[in-house]
Amino acid sequence: MPMKALTGNEAMAEAMRQINPDVVAAYPITPATEVVQLFANFVADGRVDTEFVAVESEHSALSACIGAAAAGGRVMTSTSSQGLALMHEMLYIAAALRLPIVICGINRSLSAPINIHCDHSDTMGSRESGWMHIFAEESQEAYDSIFQAIKIAERAYLPMIVSTDGFIISHCMQRIDMLEDKEVQDFIGECKPHHSLLLTDKPYTVGPLSLQDYYFEHKRQEIEAMMQVAPIIDEVGKEFGDKFGRHYGLFEEYKLDDADNIIMAAGSAAGTAKVAVDEARDKGIKAGLLRIRVMRPFPYKQIQKVLKDKMIISVLDRSDSMSTMGGPLFIETRAALYDTETHPPICDYIYGLGGREIDVENILSVFEKGEIYKKKGVEKKLAFIGVRE
Amino acid sequence: MNKPFEIRWHGRGGQGAKTAALLFGDAAMVTGKYIQAFPEYGPERMGAPVQAFNRLSDERIYIHSGIKNPDIVVVLDETLMKTQPVVKGLGKNGILLVNTKSTPEDIKKSYNLKDIKVYTIDASGISKEAIGKEIPNTPMLGALVRVSKILDFDSFIIDVTNKLKKKFRGREKLVDGNVKSIKRAYKEVL
């Protein structure tokens, strides 16, 4: 396998090149710009067969993707932050039309105040749009996950976002163990859509009006489709692992088995949390990590199983829900645990908004607080890490 | 997991701290190491103090924050020694490599540095002679390879020459000048 030193964005662009999609329609935005720019170079240099559509906005980018996917093409794009927000209307349409589009997402905060750095507000804000979503911890996982996303999306007939943390991962160079172009093509296989607007002998209607009479049935089908997804993600992750040696599932457990003091996180901070787990264990804390990889669908059943007997669960959220109940990862995990008989204590920490750094000491202090909560119970349901008080 | 080997670069916007970190990381990756190379994620302004980081390890690297306890600190601009806490977090037996005309003893005395190893190299002078411009980042790479003792110098030169050829496509003189200054700094570092 070839080995390359690539930034997260370069790794994503390389993955797109190896996939060689039929259509890419995209509009650049920091910190995802490079993905689009590098891919446009591949098109200009004749290294892919892709029809590249340079559009005037992200709304148009996803609109063009929807048209191309409805025509039966394998379709990808890349965006971030305000770009994803501008796509919001079209996100729901892509999902409800059951079009397997894949977005290479780079997580960045939302304005205002204007900020180009990482948090998870953008993709978390899209979590009810019907898109499947993988938070990659780092570039190798992002690279590997994009191939899986193509396969999962085309099997589930739902679109998928694979995202990395803006700058922290997107602009960090690291070693990437790459696949050969042929290995990628063999893994993703040929795109075989059920329907295509271009097949005039098999005509179908896309996006018709459906009012009180049928809208509900259409939506019900979409909900049912999402319910079928988790095993597909597991299957494709296993297939990838068996072929290439790197296995992926709905979430990752790090020293979770015998742990009683748990942190839950997604994205790059989960990597830093692994170092914190080791340091906490050196101090005698039975620390463990559950790293959420798949946020949509939310793997609540599997989470119940591994967390139900833990003594304290501290969730790290890189966005808030503005519900006053905490961040989205916390709210959903807590809801999942409601169905357990044990109701393990759980609390939330909002961290890293607008790119505020989180380090090993920050996370270690959460484990230490967890030790106190284990004895005294949770004193503060919602707290903040690294913010001026 | 073992702690990765960590290098922190201090420079000024435009001096090439990020490029140097990327070149060093790439050269280490070629030898089979897991690496990280990334700049400080702040606003980029010409002349303002900036940092860049390298991590190297034989295992996968999990940590994704800036480097607070480096094994080596590289300073591309001596004036930063006065205004920035460049040696902050540098432990006992840590290495400080400075671009300066002064000797290591002078630097130790001037900045009251104890318990760390100081190396110096006139990277600015070398780059002016070899490239015709003050671009201290590539000569500093030569000095860094020497003092860090992680990479084999000959394979480093081969890799970095390839990378520079790509970066400065068709500008052979610039590539030669950079390679020459790396070799000189490797030899001359004190």
Side-chain angles (χ1 to χ4, degrees):
Chain A
M1 260 189 239
M3 196 165 72
K4 270 191 177 177
L6 300 174
T7 64
N9 282 344
E10 288 168 343
M12 279 187 157
E14 279 292 322
M16 287 175 73
R17 178 186 66 71
Q18 294 183 299
I19 288 165
N20 194 6
D22 296 308
V23 175
V24 168
Y27 189 85
I29 179 168
T30 302
T33 300
E34 274 173 319
V35 181
V36 179
Q37 177 196 331
L38 291 168
F39 189 78
N41 283 346
F42 294 144
V43 176
D45 294 344
R47 297 185 66 195
V48 287
D49 311 308
T50 308
E51 181 73 35
F52 183 83
V53 192
V55 286
E56 80 288 358
S57 77
E58 287 85 356
H59 189 279
S60 302
L62 195 53
S63 299
C65 286
I66 288 170
R74 182 171 271 161
V75 182
M76 300 181 76
T77 186
S78 174
T79 194
S80 181
S81 181
Q82 308 301 126
L84 189 65
L86 191 52
M87 284 180 179
H88 196 66
E89 172 180 272
M90 305 316 291
L91 288 175
Y92 283 75
I93 294 173
L97 295 180
R98 311 288 305 277
L99 301 172
I101 301 163
V102 172
I103 292 182
C104 297
I106 312 294
N107 284 109
R108 167 188 150 180
S109 58
L110 288 168
S111 296
I114 192 163
N115 178 302
I116 57 170
H117 291 281
C118 175
D119 66 38
H120 296 161
S121 310
D122 51 1
T123 56
M124 284 300 193
S126 309
R127 71 192 189 282
E128 279 155 27
S129 64
W131 282 61
M132 302 178 289
H133 179 207
I134 287 178
F135 275 112
E137 179 183 311
E138 40 74 80
S139 305
Q140 181 74 59
E141 185 187 346
Y143 173 82
D144 292 344
S145 296
I146 291 167
F147 306 130
Q148 295 166 50
I150 293 284
K151 216 166 171 156
I152 295 162
E154 289 174 9
R155 212 175 273 180
Y157 279 90
L158 285 171
M160 188 167 214
I161 303 177
V162 176
S163 69
T164 62
D165 281 358
F167 288 98
I168 302 165
I169 301 300
S170 71
H171 285 59
C172 176
M173 192 175 87
Q174 70 168 68
R175 171 177 142 176
I176 304 288
D177 295 323
M178 295 184 68
L179 309 186
E180 303 285 356
D181 293 358
K182 190 181 174 310
E183 288 176 318
V184 170
Q185 285 302 322
D186 289 347
F187 179 75
I188 59 176
E190 207 186 316
C191 176
K192 290 181 194 150
H194 273 172
H195 301 289
S196 163
L197 286 173
L198 299 178
L199 295 176
T200 46
D201 55 335
K202 273 167 73 185
Y204 86 114
T205 307
V206 178
L209 186 73
S210 108
L211 300 175
Q212 302 95 320
D213 52 355
Y214 273 108
Y215 181 89
F216 203 167
E217 282 72 23
H218 283 131
K219 281 320 246 193
R220 168 79 191 278
Q221 286 182 346
E222 194 187 339
I223 296 163
E224 291 287 340
M226 193 59 98
M227 286 177 173
Q228 311 300 319
V229 163
I232 300 177
I233 294 176
D234 266 337
E235 254 169 56
V236 173
K238 186 177 179 305
E239 192 188 331
F240 186 91
D242 290 347
K243 274 204 172 115
F244 307 117
R246 293 183 294 272
H247 285 84
Y248 297 95
L250 298 164
F251 51 79
E252 182 190 354
E253 299 172 37
Y254 184 75
K255 305 194 177 173
L256 193 67
D257 253 2
D258 67 335
D260 57 26
N261 184 342
I262 312 303
I263 280 183
M264 232 177 125
S268 63
T272 307
K274 288 174 190 166
V275 181
V277 166
D278 284 9
E279 291 196 9
R281 283 188 171 247
D282 287 344
K283 294 182 174 199
I285 298 172
K286 280 164 101 180
L289 171 79
L290 191 157
R291 178 177 73 85
I292 275 290
R293 175 172 182 253
V294 177
M295 184 66 199
R296 279 293 176 273
F298 194 68
Y300 71 99
K301 273 188 205 156
Q302 296 83 347
I303 286 174
Q304 284 167 2
K305 220 163 120 189
V306 296
L307 290 188
K308 66 176 170 20
D309 296 321
K310 302 304 181 189
M311 288 172 77
I312 178 72
I313 299 149
S314 308
V315 180
L316 306 186
D317 262 301
R318 202 162 198 151
S319 63
D320 189 59
S321 67
M322 296 293 166
S323 65
T324 73
M325 283 168 65
L329 194 52
F330 169 70
I331 292 176
E332 298 197 5
T333 305
R334 198 178 176 204
L337 295 175
Y338 185 82
D339 285 336
T340 62
E341 281 169 14
T342 44
H343 295 115
I346 180 166
C347 62
D348 193 21
Y349 294 84
I350 307 282
Y351 75 98
L353 300 191
R356 179 67 53 85
E357 175 147 297
I358 182 159
D359 60 17
V360 175
E361 284 82 59
N362 291 144
I363 300 173
L364 205 52
S365 71
V366 172
F367 278 127
E368 279 161 358
K369 190 64 113 182
E371 287 300 290
I372 298 170
Y373 287 1
K374 261 165 56 182
K375 289 180 201 122
K376 293 188 177 169
V378 174
E379 283 160 3
K380 231 177 167 182
K381 205 96 218 155
L382 174 64
F384 298 86
I385 301 176
V387 74
R388 290 182 186 88
E389 293 292 352
Chain B
M1 62 183 84
N2 292 314
K3 182 181 179 290
F5 191 84
E6 297 181 318
I7 302 168
R8 191 172 67 208
W9 298 75
H10 291 267
R12 291 189 180 277
Q15 283 184 319
K18 178 189 164 189
T19 305
L22 293 182
L23 286 169
F24 191 78
D26 194 298
M29 191 273 314
V30 170
T31 69
K33 286 202 183 296
Y34 287 89
I35 57 113
Q36 283 180 354
F38 56 102
E40 179 188 28
Y41 312 110
E44 291 168 33
R45 292 152 301 170
M46 187 77 86
V50 294
Q51 295 181 38
F53 309 97
N54 277 124
R55 284 193 176 95
L56 291 81
S57 177
D58 293 324
E59 312 164 8
R60 260 190 69 178
I61 301 169
Y62 294 100
I63 189 166
H64 293 291
S65 53
I67 292 174
K68 298 202 172 71
N69 298 107
D71 298 285
I72 299 184
V73 167
V74 185
V75 180
L76 291 176
D77 188 322
E78 196 197 332
T79 61
L80 292 169
M81 299 279 299
K82 292 182 196 121
T83 57
Q84 299 289 308
V86 296
V87 293
K88 196 174 171 194
L90 189 62
K92 248 189 180 179
N93 301 319
I95 290 175
L96 173 70
L97 172 62
V98 189
N99 169 23
T100 173
K101 285 189 168 68
S102 312
T103 63
E105 287 68 35
D106 291 342
I107 294 288
K108 273 189 142 176
K109 223 191 249 168
S110 311
Y111 301 101
N112 192 26
L113 300 170
K114 284 168 197 155
D115 299 330
I116 58 171
K117 283 183 232 159
V118 178
Y119 295 91
T120 63
I121 179 75
D122 182 15
S124 295
I126 290 174
S127 73
K128 269 189 227 159
E129 279 173 35
I131 311 168
K133 267 199 279 189
E134 191 179 330
I135 312 168
N137 63 343
T138 44
M140 285 304 267
L141 276 172
L144 175 62
V145 171
R146 176 83 174 271
V147 305
S148 60
K149 300 190 184 90
I150 299 172
L151 302 180
D152 172 61
F153 186 65
D154 294 329
S155 28
F156 174 77
I157 282 289
I158 293 169
D159 182 66
V160 99
T161 308
N162 287 335
K163 292 280 148 25
L164 290 169
K165 273 185 184 160
K166 247 190 204 168
K167 194 174 164 76
F168 302 122
R169 219 174 291 176
R171 291 144 78 190
E172 283 301 318
K173 251 178 118 179
L174 206 50
V175 177
D176 289 347
N178 273 291
V179 172
K180 220 196 255 172
S181 67
I182 293 172
K183 286 182 176 167
R184 246 189 83 183
Y186 180 81
K187 277 194 202 120
E188 291 177 17
V189 63
L190 294 173

